[in-house]
């Protein structure tokens, strides 16, 4: 069973330039947000709406949510339902600015394949959105959780929603019934998704070894113009020390959009392995979502969840810009990302900004652009100094002229008197 221990481990992803496909490298160090093991419940302080005299008032309430596992032990029962629901909008969802993004697109029928533990029939908030199913059900629940992050419909009583609520989900079993993946099982899932016409393929598991079968499957998806979005690194076992940074597959393969899950402060979620590099980062710590059974919420952490957010974003982009190829859609997502150690998904910018490149498209509707500080160059400093000097000299001339006029006027008045 995957887990993250007590939350006391300290790991931070610090990436430095290097000569590689993505030119980024992960390093340890720094505080993070963690979650408890999947056998326990996690207590969160979230704003809830409660009745008050004369109306309603917001208050902080402790909500305990069960943790969604990625893998089950052989003797563990299937993941059950949750009776807990978070009504307030999750903070990471606010950071994605979904309401603004939905001004441009809601996913409009774009099919997103979820290659993970499967998607359970009747998963809450996915009614009518699971158009194809490969594999029977979802004992673990992780694939259903990912599918909800991609396409869960908004409902009254909670502000949680999927990124692309009008997208369709193709549920693909890429693991065994316990959630364990192999290169051959992932390769078969990716091929099935590409042959079924999925325009975005989300791969949750991350494997430590490269495979020719997996490589050919990703190339097959590229030939079908499907964008493969993959977790940059897996979760590690509870109490296990993180290994040195390394590549994980299929995320490390050329043509795959690799996504790292981070906490709100940009640090790596506790219990997440360190990848060698990544294309994008997105929320991956303390993520709330739906489970395979029941209508309640679960919580989990990891890069697979961040990849689900990016897969939903890719569905919005491919809906809004249907002529963009898979490669161009990935390019738009990375070029518009917010500058950070690992560029952070900026969903609004991906949909609204003009992006330079061979397949760039015009900006649909303008909005004030967020400015980021950059260190001035030496030439810029010289220009700034020169302009400041010219401005000071001009101000001095104006002041001297004003004093001279007043002095002449005063002498004239004295002579006239």
């Amino acid at each position: 069973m995957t887990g993250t221990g007590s939350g006391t481990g300290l790991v931070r992803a610090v990436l430095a330039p290097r000569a590689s496909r993505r030119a980024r490298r992960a390093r340890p160090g720094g505080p993070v947000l963690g979650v408890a093991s999947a056998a326990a419940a996690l207590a969160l302080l979230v704003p809830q709406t409660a009745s008050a005299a004369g109306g309603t008032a917001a208050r902080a309430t402790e909500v305990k949510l069960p943790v969604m596992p990625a893998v089950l032990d052989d003797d563990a029962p299937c993941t059950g339902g949750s009776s807990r629901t978070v009504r307030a909008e999750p903070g990471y969802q606010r950071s994605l600015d979904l309401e603004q993004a939905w001004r441009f697109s809601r996913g409009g029928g774009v099919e997103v394949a979820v290659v993970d533990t499967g998607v359970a029939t009747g998963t809450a908030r996915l009614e009518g959105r699971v158009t194809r199913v490969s594999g029977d059900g979802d004992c673990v629940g992780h694939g259903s959780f990912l599918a909800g992050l991609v396409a869960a419909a908004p409902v009254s009583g909670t502000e949680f929603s999927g990124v692309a609520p009008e997208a369709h989900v193709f549920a693909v079993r890429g693991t065994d019934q316990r959630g364990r993946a192999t290169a051959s099982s992932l390769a078969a899932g990716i091929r099935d998704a590409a042959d079924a016409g999925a325009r975005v393929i989300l791969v949750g598991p991350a494997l430590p070894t490269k495979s020719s079968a997996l490589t050919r499957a990703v190339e097959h998806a590229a030939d079908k113009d499907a964008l493969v979005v993959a977790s940059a690194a897996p979760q590690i076992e509870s109490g296990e020390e993180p290994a040195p940074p390394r590549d994980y597959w299929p995320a490390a393969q050329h043509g795959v959009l690799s996504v790292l899950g981070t906490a709100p402060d940009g640090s790596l979620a506790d219990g997440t392995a360190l990848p060698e590099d990544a294309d994008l980062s997105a929320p991956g710590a303390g993520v709330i979502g739906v489970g395979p059974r029941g209508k309640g919420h679960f919580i989990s952490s990891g890069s697979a969840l961040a990849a689900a957010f990016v897969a939903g974003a890719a569905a919005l982009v491919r809906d809004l810009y249907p002529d963009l190829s898979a490669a161009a859609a990935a390019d738009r997502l990375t070029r518009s990302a917010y500058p950070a150690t690992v560029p952070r998904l900026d969903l609004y910018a991906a949909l609204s900004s003009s992006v330079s490149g061979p397949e760039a498209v015009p900006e649909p509707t303008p909005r004030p652009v967020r400015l980021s500080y950059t260190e001035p160059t030496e030439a810029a400093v010289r220009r700034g100094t020169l302009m400041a000097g010219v401005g000071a000299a001009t101000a001095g001339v104006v002041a001297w002229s004003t004093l001279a006029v007043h002095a002449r006027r005063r002498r004239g008045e004295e002579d006239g008197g």
Side-chain angles (χ1 to χ4, degrees), residues 236-286:
I236 59 177
E237 295 292 336
S238 177
E240 182 182 343
E241 289 296 322
R246 61 175 301 169
D247 283 329
Y248 294 93
W249 307 89
Q253 185 170 332
H254 178 70
V256 176
L257 192 57
S258 170
V259 186
L260 182 68
T262 57
D265 64 355
S267 61
L268 196 65
D270 193 16
T272 299
L274 295 171
E276 186 76 9
D277 48 26
D279 294 315
L280 280 175
S281 64

Side-chain angles (χ1 to χ4, degrees), residues 20-263:
S20 73
R21 176 170 70 90
R22 290 182 285 271
R24 299 184 182 94
R25 187 181 187 91
R27 301 283 186 190
V32 304
L33 170 67
V35 298
S37 76
L42 183 66
L44 295 178
L45 280 176
V46 295
Q48 298 283 55
T49 302
S51 297
T56 59
R59 62 184 176 86
T61 304
E62 187 179 77
V63 179
K64 293 182 178 180
L65 296 177
V67 177
M68 177 60 67
V71 179
L72 292 177
D73 291 334
D74 290 336
D75 57 350
C78 293
T79 301
S82 169
S83 60
R84 303 278 182 168
T85 300
V86 174
R87 286 175 285 169
E89 183 181 33
Y92 63 82
Q93 188 169 300
R94 287 196 300 273
S95 74
L96 293 174
D97 205 2
L98 294 185
E99 290 292 340
Q100 292 295 335
W102 290 341
R103 292 169 50 198
F104 301 100
S105 169
R106 295 173 71 88
V110 173
E111 192 163 78
V112 180
V114 179
V115 182
D116 200 77
T117 62
V119 177
T121 303
T123 298
R125 320 277 288 279
L126 290 178
E127 294 85 352
R129 286 165 171 76
V130 182
T131 57
R132 304 168 187 263
V133 177
S134 172
D136 54 336
D138 181 11
C139 178
V140 181
H142 195 260
S144 302
F145 190 93
L146 296 184
L149 298 181
V150 173
V155 295
S156 60
T158 174
E159 296 184 45
F160 163 77
S161 174
V163 174
E166 293 181 6
H168 293 163
V169 172
F170 178 21
V172 182
R173 171 74 63 73
T175 71
D176 65 14
Q177 291 194 350
R178 302 280 95 186
R180 291 180 288 264
T182 64
S184 59
S185 67
L186 290 184
I190 292 171
R191 282 185 174 274
D192 286 348
D195 289 339
R199 301 185 68 195
V200 180
I201 301 176
L202 166 63
V203 183
L207 304 179
T209 55
K210 189 175 182 180
S211 158
S212 58
L214 196 52
T215 297
R216 289 193 298 270
V218 170
E219 291 171 347
H220 179 70
D223 290 340
K224 296 282 188 177
D225 195 34
L227 172 57
V228 179
V229 181
S231 167
Q235 292 296 94
I236 59 177
E237 295 292 336
S238 177
E240 182 182 343
E241 289 296 322
R246 61 175 301 169
D247 283 329
Y248 294 93
W249 307 89
Q253 185 170 332
H254 178 70
V256 176
L257 192 57
S258 170
V259 186
L260 182 68
T262 57

